[in-house]
């Protein structure tokens, strides 16, 4: 007979969560030191799908690197491409027509809604409710269909070009987007009834995993993680870029610091994104989508450029060091989830495993984006 | 003598067949139901409405190799799935489906069913303990604490019903309620207790049945987003199949008990044509509710679950017990 | 005490509201496409793998300038051409797309100044062999013309 697991009362054991675990949504591995159901210590292990995106940035020419950015975060690809085109435009001094700027903003916000919808579904699935995921996917599908008709693909759009866009939007897209806004508002009401109001859901999130302001600052957290802890920081408001100053929208901030606050922030962000899309469609100017004069070969003058954008997952920074050749000297991607994830190690100490995994869901991790 | 032995064998065979058929087709019903709720078609390829899906799944499971993980306790590892199925089948023997359809009626039928029901926790403990997997271990610990916590309010509620009926005989309990819908124990406005709190008792009993059968939102034992698959993480092949069937057989038993104790068994709500069809109708409506609940709610936490039992269900069911005792004394 | 009971009451109500929503969804029609039995047509701008465009004579428009080859970030295009005796333009003799490395970014189509390549609408691409994804576009063009 073999000996079963023997455990003394104050002895701990190591639980290896991942890299193939249903709760980590990807190949993230967490080494948890457990005392029964309680986590004594946790260590996140990353790098399972490291694809050297930063190094690729140094070897590929600027236009060749465009498509890499949408492969970082496959749920909110538009936001990342936006950061990249903005920093290269800044470096090379390319003017962007106004229509292109507006379409970019609309696309990024649509993508943000799609990304948050997927997060919402996956998060509720982490908590054990499966149906909301399917409802969320239906709405997300609507967005993807709309974007596919314009960009030609569903996840890795590669839609932005230096100076403008790959394709212009047509009337079909505009009317579909207009129809989408009331539909999405109705769905949000449904989600609030089905999930937000549910007592089981409330009990699982309220007061769980408090993240203090100091902790968020220490780790450089952004997005709903920081805004759920009372930090009013949104790159779109604090360091405005593109046409965001033209839009009237609020940044939802909650001071409860718990998982429910992070959930509420994201749900409200969807509503705000809908407002931006609505305004963008109203203000959409006519005109070209590519600048008249665009350098044939993009060779930014030597220098150091930085641009931060607010993606669905938080503040994404991209730093470009150019030495005047056709490839960058260095391209640093500051990925928001990378910072958000590292909160997990410290915050989950003393939590029960089910709360810890719910907390992980509330961080909205996308692993390819962490590993880059 | 030989006739009784034959009777028992036939009864057990029918019980096994009923349990297995129910388990197989409830999986189908659950998948179809879940799909409808999520606006998908569900299994619809194999056979009309996908009705051949369960037997094909069964064949697939049987064709697979039963792997026993290294370092596992072999005896317990194999015994656990059998133990999961066995009590459910045994309980069918004493459940009266109608006046005449009952394998062996006993005057302490309730006692027997609860005795077998408490064995269910044991099989989960064995499975988790013997598979030498940390996830399975944690899951079985959860399952046992859950089983202990929910047996108490369940039994207290059952005692309330037994007090009203004055008998532990399942047949007798149904006969008590057979006059009309107002004699059912869920709304006993007529009858001998006039207890207006019985709907709450029903809810408590129903919640406990959900928890006892490890169903969502109390499926902490197999919380797939935390414990991978819980106690049956290491099981494949028919070992997993037996756990799966045991779960559904337990749901049927739990729903049968709810129908008998609260919904008047085979009696008709309007006093017309009492018979087994009424029993089955009520039974499958309850099971549909189980499925409906599973695909609506997220999972509770382990402490939320224990809090619910010890802080809400047990005090309320105890209060109801005393209240009922008082009412019976008065009327 | 009041808080205790009101929490139970509100909790129960919230559960019933949730069940009401799933009950309504139960009777709505399904929204999925059962894929191998029904397929969707791809939208006009769908970006599949590339195909050569032919001119009126059935020959490819391509003049073997090699811009697409240079634009490709992953180096999946390899092409060759030769100049027949007495002709001015080069004629395409080989156009291989290594689809295993292609990420469908569309740089090649954009770089082309001669309207020689387009996106195909094909998306049913599954195989167990790697060789199946090394497309000989010239051969595919001939197949289409047959």
């Amino acid at each position: 007979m073999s000996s079963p697991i023997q455990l003394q009362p104050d002895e701990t054991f190591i639980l290896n969560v991942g890299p193939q675990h249903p709760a980590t949504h990807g190949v993230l591995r967490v080494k948890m030191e457990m005392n029964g159901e309680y986590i004594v210590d946790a260590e996140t292990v990353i790098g399972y799908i490291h694809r050297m995106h930063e190094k690729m940035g140094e070897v590929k020419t600027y236009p060749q690197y465009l498509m890499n950015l949408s492969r970082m975060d496959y749920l909110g690809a538009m936001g990342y491409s936006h950061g990249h085109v903005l920093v290269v435009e800044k470096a090379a001094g390319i003017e962007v027509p106004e229509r292109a700027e507006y379409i970019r903003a609309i696309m990024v916000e649509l993508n943000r809604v799609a990304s948050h919808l997927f997060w919402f579904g996956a998060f509720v699935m982490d908590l054990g409710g499966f149906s909301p995921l399917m409802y969320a996917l239906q709405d997300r599908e609507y967005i993807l269909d709309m974007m596919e008709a314009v960009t030609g693909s569903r996840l890795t759009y590669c839609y932005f070009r230096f100076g403008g866009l790959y394709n212009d939007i047509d009337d079909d897209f505009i009317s579909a987007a207009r129809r989408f806004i009331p539909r999405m508002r109705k769905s949000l009401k449904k989600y609030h009834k089905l999930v937000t109001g549910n007592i089981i859901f409330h009990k699982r999130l309220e007061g769980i995993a408090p993240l203090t302001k100091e902790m968020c600052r220490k780790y450089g957290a952004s997005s709903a993680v920081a805004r759920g802890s009372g930090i009013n920081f949104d790159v779109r408001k604090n360091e405005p870029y593109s046409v965001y100053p033209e839009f009237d929208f609020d940044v939802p901030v909650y001071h409860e610091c718990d998982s429910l606050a992070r959930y509420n922030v994201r749900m409200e962000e969807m509503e705000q994104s809908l407002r931006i899309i609505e305004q963008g469609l109203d203000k959409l100017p006519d005109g070209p989508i590519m600048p008249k004069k665009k350098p044939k070969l993009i060779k930014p003058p030597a220098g150091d450029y930085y641009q931060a954008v607010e993606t669905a997952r938080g503040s994404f920074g991209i730093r470009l060091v150019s030495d005047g050749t056709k490839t960058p000297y260095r391209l640093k991607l500051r990925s928001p989830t990378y910072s958000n994830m590292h909160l997990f190690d410290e915050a989950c100490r003393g939590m029960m495993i089910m709360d810890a995994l719910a907390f992980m869901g509330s961080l909205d991790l996308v692993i390819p984006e962490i590993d880059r | 003598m030989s006739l009784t032995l034959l009777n028992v064998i036939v009864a057990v065979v029918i019980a096994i067949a009923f349990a297995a058929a129910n388990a197989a087709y409830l999986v189908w019903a659950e998948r179809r139901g879940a799909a409808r709720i999520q606006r998908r078609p569900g299994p619809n390829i194999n056979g009309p409405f996908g009705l051949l899906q369960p037997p094909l799944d069964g064949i697939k499971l049987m064709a697979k190799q039963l792997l026993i993980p290294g370092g596992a306790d072999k005896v317990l590892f194999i015994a656990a799935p059998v133990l999961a199925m066995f009590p459910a089948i045994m309980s069918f023997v004493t459940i009266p489906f109608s006046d005449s359809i009952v394998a062996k009626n006993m005057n302490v039928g309730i006692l027997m069913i609860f005795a077998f029901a408490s064995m269910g926790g044991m099989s989960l403990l064995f499975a988790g303990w013997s598979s030498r997997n940390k996830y399975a271990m944690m899951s079985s610990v959860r399952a046992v604490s859950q089983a202990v916590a929910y047996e108490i309010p369940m039994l207290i509620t059952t005692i309330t019903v037994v007090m009203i009926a004055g008998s532990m005989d399942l047949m007798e309990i149904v006969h008590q309620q057979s006059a009309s819908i107002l004699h059912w124990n869920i709304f006993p406005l007529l009858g001998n207790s006039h207890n207006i709190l019985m709907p709450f008792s029903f809810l408590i009993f129903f919640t406990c049945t959900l928890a006892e059968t490890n169903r969502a939102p109390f499926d902490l034992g197999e919380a797939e987003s935390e414990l991978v698959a819980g106690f049956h993480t290491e099981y494949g092949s028919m070992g997993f199949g037996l756990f799966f069937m045991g779960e559904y057989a337990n749901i049927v038993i739990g729903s049968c008990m709810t129908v008998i104790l609260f919904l008047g068994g085979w009696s008709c709500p309007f006093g017309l044509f009492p018979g087994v069809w009424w029993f089955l109708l009520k039974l499958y409506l309850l099971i549909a509710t189980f499925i409906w609940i599973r695909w609506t709610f997220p999972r509770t936490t382990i402490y939320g679950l224990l809090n619910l039992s010890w802080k809400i269900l047990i005090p309320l069911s105890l209060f109801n017990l005393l209240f009922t005792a008082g009412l019976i004394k008065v009327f | 005490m009041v808080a205790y009971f009101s929490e139970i009451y509100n909790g129960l109500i919230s559960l019933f509201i949730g069940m009401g929503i799933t009950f309504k969804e139960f009777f709505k029609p399904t929204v999925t496409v059962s894929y191998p039995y029904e397929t969707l047509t791809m939208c006009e701008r769908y970006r599949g793998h590339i195909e050569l465009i032919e001119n009126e004579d059935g020959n490819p428009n391509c003049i073997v300038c090699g811009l697409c080859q240079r634009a490709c970030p992953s180096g999946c295009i390899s092409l060759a051409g030769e100049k027949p005796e007495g002709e001015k333009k080069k004629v395409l003799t080989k156009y291989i797309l290594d689809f295993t490395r292609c990420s469908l970014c569309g740089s090649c189509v954009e770089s082309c100044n001669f309207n020689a390549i387009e996106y195909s609408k094909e998306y049913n691409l599954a195989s167990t062999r790697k060789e199946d994804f090394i497309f000989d576009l010239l051969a595919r063009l001939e197949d289409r013309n047959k």
Side-chain angles (χ1 to χ4, degrees):
Chain A
M1 284 293 243
S2 56
S3 56
I5 306 160
Q6 282 178 349
L7 197 68
Q8 301 300 321
D10 52 349
E11 196 183 326
T12 57
F13 63 93
I14 302 284
L15 189 71
N16 193 18
V17 180
Q20 305 289 341
H21 187 279
T24 55
H25 298 297
V27 281
L28 173 68
R29 175 176 165 220
V30 189
K31 244 163 82 180
M32 287 181 182
E33 196 182 342
M34 309 280 296
N35 184 354
E37 288 236 6
Y38 289 92
I39 297 171
V40 179
D41 204 359
E43 187 193 342
T44 41
V45 183
I46 57 167
Y48 285 90
I49 44 165
H50 179 52
R51 289 147 301 158
M52 300 178 285
H53 273 310
E54 286 181 7
K55 182 69 197 168
M56 273 193 251
E58 293 169 24
V59 233
K60 289 183 175 184
T61 61
Y62 289 93
Q64 280 183 341
Y65 191 61
L66 263 173
M67 59 103 187
N68 277 57
L69 263 293
S70 29
R71 272 142 182 100
M72 262 183 77
D73 177 352
Y74 50 83
L75 294 177
M78 287 284 187
Y80 291 78
S81 305
H82 200 189
H84 182 221
V85 291
L86 281 176
V87 75
V88 175
E89 279 156 10
K90 195 195 251 177
I94 304 169
E95 284 282 316
V96 186
E98 211 185 1
R99 182 176 171 87
E101 289 273 32
Y102 270 95
I103 296 174
R104 278 181 188 180
I106 292 169
M107 283 295 181
V108 169
E109 294 307 319
L110 271 178
N111 206 197
R112 191 191 310 276
V113 176
S115 165
H116 280 355
L117 274 173
F118 201 93
W119 161 81
F120 163 78
F123 180 48
V124 182
M125 199 174 72
D126 274 352
L127 304 174
F130 191 71
S131 297
L133 172 69
M134 289 305 187
Y135 302 150
L137 285 182
Q138 279 163 32
D139 288 325
R140 179 168 173 268
E141 202 67 8
Y142 193 95
I143 302 179
L144 293 191
D145 282 344
M146 236 154 71
M147 291 170 88
E148 189 192 10
V150 173
T151 65
S153 68
R154 295 172 75 82
L155 274 182
T156 50
Y157 309 101
C158 196
Y159 179 56
F160 299 158
R161 295 287 181 272
F162 303 123
L165 303 163
Y166 161 59
N167 264 332
D168 200 356
I169 58 175
D170 46 14
D171 291 340
D172 286 351
F173 175 84
I174 294 173
S175 60
R178 286 211 188 274
R179 276 198 308 274
F180 172 72
I181 293 164
R183 177 200 154 111
M184 187 62 214
R185 290 204 169 120
K186 213 175 132 199
S187 300
L188 276 172
K189 262 185 212 142
K190 181 169 86 182
Y191 301 149
H192 284 309
K193 267 196 204 161
L194 179 64
V195 177
T196 319
N198 191 303
I199 179 140
I200 301 173
F201 184 79
H202 250 261
K203 290 256 168 191
R204 281 206 65 172
L205 298 185
E206 220 164 15
I208 298 299
L211 295 173
T212 55
K213 253 186 192 177
E214 288 68 42
M215 229 168 117
C216 287
R217 291 225 165 93
K218 198 166 82 184
Y219 282 92
S222 52
S223 89
V225 181
R227 290 197 281 275
S229 298
I231 299 176
N232 188 352
F233 178 79
D234 186 317
V235 186
R236 291 174 293 176
K237 282 270 187 207
N238 294 48
E239 304 162 18
Y241 55 91
S242 189
V243 283
Y244 280 108
E246 317 272 312
F247 296 128
D248 171 35
F249 65 99
D250 303 323
V251 178
V253 179
Y254 280 74
H255 296 272
E256 287 84 5
C257 307
D258 55 2
S259 293
L260 190 64
R262 292 187 275 278
Y263 168 85
N264 282 332
V265 169
R266 287 211 179 86
M267 294 306 269
E268 247 177 68
E269 261 180 31
M270 280 197 248
E271 277 161 39
Q272 298 303 329
S273 289
L274 290 180
R275 273 180 71 191
I276 297 178
I277 297 165
E278 211 168 28
Q279 292 169 38
L281 290 171
D282 289 341
K283 289 183 181 171
L284 189 67
D286 285 328
I289 53 158
M290 284 300 258
K292 284 206 186 82
K293 51 171 201 249
K294 190 191 151 202
K296 201 139 199 220
L297 196 63
I298 291 164
K299 264 190 195 173
D304 195 340
Y305 312 93
Y306 181 78
Q307 176 70 49
V309 287
E310 184 75 20
T311 66
R313 254 148 274 288
S315 113
F316 169 65
I318 177 161
R319 182 180 173 192
L320 170 70
V321 182
S322 168
D323 54 0
T325 56
K326 58 182 183 177
T327 56
Y329 174 75
R330 173 83 169 95
L331 198 86
K332 161 75 184 152
L333 309 169
R334 185 237 177 240
S335 103
T337 359
Y338 183 76
S339 314
N340 289 354
M341 184 202 64
H342 283 291
L343 278 162
F344 183 80
D345 291 5
E346 192 179 320
C348 76
R349 278 179 207 146
M351 268 183 349
M352 282 180 114
I353 182 165
M354 46 193 337
D355 290 337
L357 292 176
F359 164 51
M360 188 190 262
S362 79
L363 291 177
D364 190 11
L365 303 182
V366 168
I367 313 302
E369 203 251 2
I370 296 173
D371 284 349
R372 309 202 273 290
Chain B
M1 177 64 202
S2 65
L3 194 68
T4 22
L5 188 67
L6 195 70
N7 272 353
V8 168
I9 290 171
V10 169
V12 168
V13 167
I14 290 176
I16 290 175
F18 183 74
N22 258 309
Y25 278 91
L26 284 182
V27 178
W28 174 86
E30 168 129 43
R31 288 174 68 182
R32 292 287 289 195
R36 288 295 321 176
I37 284 177
Q38 296 161 0
R39 304 183 65 185
R40 302 180 280 124
N44 61 349
I45 304 296
N46 297 315
F49 304 108
L51 276 171
L52 286 179
Q53 190 72 35
L56 291 175
D57 278 348
I59 290 169
K60 185 205 104 182
L61 281 176
M62 274 183 243
K64 284 180 121 178
Q65 186 190 0
L66 179 61
L67 282 173
I68 299 178
D73 188 324
K74 281 199 182 105
V75 178
L76 289 185
F77 189 80
I78 294 170
V82 180
L83 261 178
M85 195 69 194
F86 164 75
I89 290 172
M90 285 313 286
S91 306
F92 274 114
V93 171
T94 186
I95 284 179
F97 288 89
S98 83
D99 257 338
S100 47
I101 307 175
V102 54
K104 178 86 185 90
N105 194 35
M106 285 180 230
N107 53 7
V108 286
I110 290 181
L111 202 59
M112 180 182 146
I113 286 176
F114 277 100
F116 277 119
S118 50
M119 279 174 74
M122 202 167 71
S123 85
L124 306 191
L125 180 62
F126 282 1
W129 180 258
S130 65
S131 37
R132 201 182 160 88
N133 177 315
K134 288 166 192 165
Y135 290 113
M137 187 68 214
M138 282 164 82
S139 148
S140 63
V141 172
R142 280 185 187 182
V144 170
S145 67
Q146 179 182 342
V148 170
Y150 277 83
E151 241 157 52
I152 300 168
M154 199 172 184
L155 276 170
I156 295 173
T157 326
T158 315
I159 290 169
T160 318
V161 175
V162 169
M163 267 168 40
I164 293 172
S167 164
M168 280 175 94
D169 186 340
L170 293 172
M171 291 282 241
E172 184 56 34
I173 290 173
V174 176
H175 280 305
Q176 290 269 337
Q177 309 173 49
S178 59
S180 78
I181 192 168
L182 294 177
H183 286 81
W184 290 5
N185 281 334
I186 183 171
F187 325 103
L189 297 179
L190 301 174
N192 60 356
S193 71
H194 309 282
N195 186 350
I196 48 160
L197 292 182
M198 280 316 266
F200 298 104
S201 257
F202 171 76
L203 274 182
I204 291 172
F205 191 85
F206 188 73
T207 316
C208 294
T209 322
L210 279 175
E212 276 285 301
T213 50
N214 276 319
R215 283 290 291 190
F218 304 108
D219 55 345
L220 292 163
E222 45 196 297
E224 79 277 348
S225 56
E226 296 129 30
L227 301 180
V228 190
F231 52 86
H232 58 64
T233 307
E234 295 287 349
Y235 282 88
S237 172
M238 217 43 210
F240 165 74
L242 280 178
F243 272 121
F244 214 60
M245 281 166 71
E247 187 191 319
Y248 284 95
N250 278 328
I251 292 167
V252 179
I253 295 287
S255 306
C256 281
M257 286 303 284
T258 318
V259 171
I260 290 169
L261 294 181
F262 288 95
L263 302 177
W266 58 86
S267 60
C268 165
F270 330 106
L272 296 168
F273 316 112
V276 66
W277 41 86
W278 285 111
F279 189 94
L280 293 179
L281 179 72
K282 290 169 192 168
L283 174 66
Y284 289 115
L285 275 179
L286 265 180
I287 292 172
T289 318
F290 269 74
I291 293 171
W292 179 13
I293 285 176
R294 166 153 183 196
W295 297 100
T296 306
F297 299 136
R299 190 181 300 119
T300 55
T301 49
I302 181 75
Y303 51 84
L305 175 106
L306 297 179
N307 279 347
L308 177 67
S309 171
W310 295 103
K311 287 190 182 161
I312 295 178
L313 296 185
I314 292 180
L316 288 186
S317 56
L318 266 177
F319 173 76
N320 196 25
L321 180 72
L322 292 176
F323 186 68
T324 316
L327 281 178
I328 289 175
K329 196 80 189 156
V330 170
F331 291 106
Chain C
M1 198 65 184
V2 175
Y4 175 80
F5 281 108
S6 75
E7 194 189 351
I8 295 176
Y9 174 76
N10 290 332
L12 265 177
I13 294 294
S14 78
L15 296 183
F16 285 127
I17 289 174
M19 285 175 76
I21 285 172
T22 41
F23 187 73
K24 267 188 244 157
E25 295 286 330
F26 186 88
F27 294 101
K28 287 186 185 168
T30 55
V31 289
T32 52
V33 176
S34 44
Y35 162 61
Y37 305 100
E38 19 175 338
T39 46
L40 296 173
T41 47
M42 288 293 109
C43 61
E44 206 178 308
R45 288 179 182 173
Y46 176 74
R47 292 211 304 258
H49 68 80
I50 49 170
E51 291 279 22
L52 292 171
I53 303 179
E54 56 190 352
N55 54 20
E56 296 86 49
D57 313 331
N59 296 319
N61 272 345
C62 181
I63 60 142
V64 206
C65 63
L67 269 180
C68 48
Q69 196 174 10
R70 255 174 286 151
C72 181
S74 326
C76 24
I77 298 170
S78 55
L79 74 172
E82 56 180 23
K83 207 184 258 183
E85 291 291 316
E87 290 271 337
K88 266 187 188 167
K89 283 182 189 166
K90 271 186 175 178
V91 174
L92 189 67
T93 52
K94 190 186 85 167
Y95 199 111
I96 306 283
L97 170 71
D98 185 355
F99 194 56
T100 56
R101 292 198 276 171
C102 175
S103 42
L104 301 171
C105 65
S107 303
C108 42
V109 177
E110 268 175 71
S111 70
C112 187
N113 296 325
F114 302 93
N115 188 29
I117 39 181
E118 61 175 353
Y119 303 114
S120 81
K121 302 274 173 288
E122 202 171 325
Y123 61 97
N124 286 309
L125 294 161
S127 173
T128 50
R129 293 187 315 141
K130 198 177 171 186
E131 299 82 62
D132 290 351
F133 293 110
I134 297 178
F135 298 141
D136 187 349
L137 295 189
L138 260 180
R140 288 174 75 92
L141 184 69
E142 277 165 24
D143 280 353
R144 261 190 312 178
N145 285 342
K146 262 177 206 164

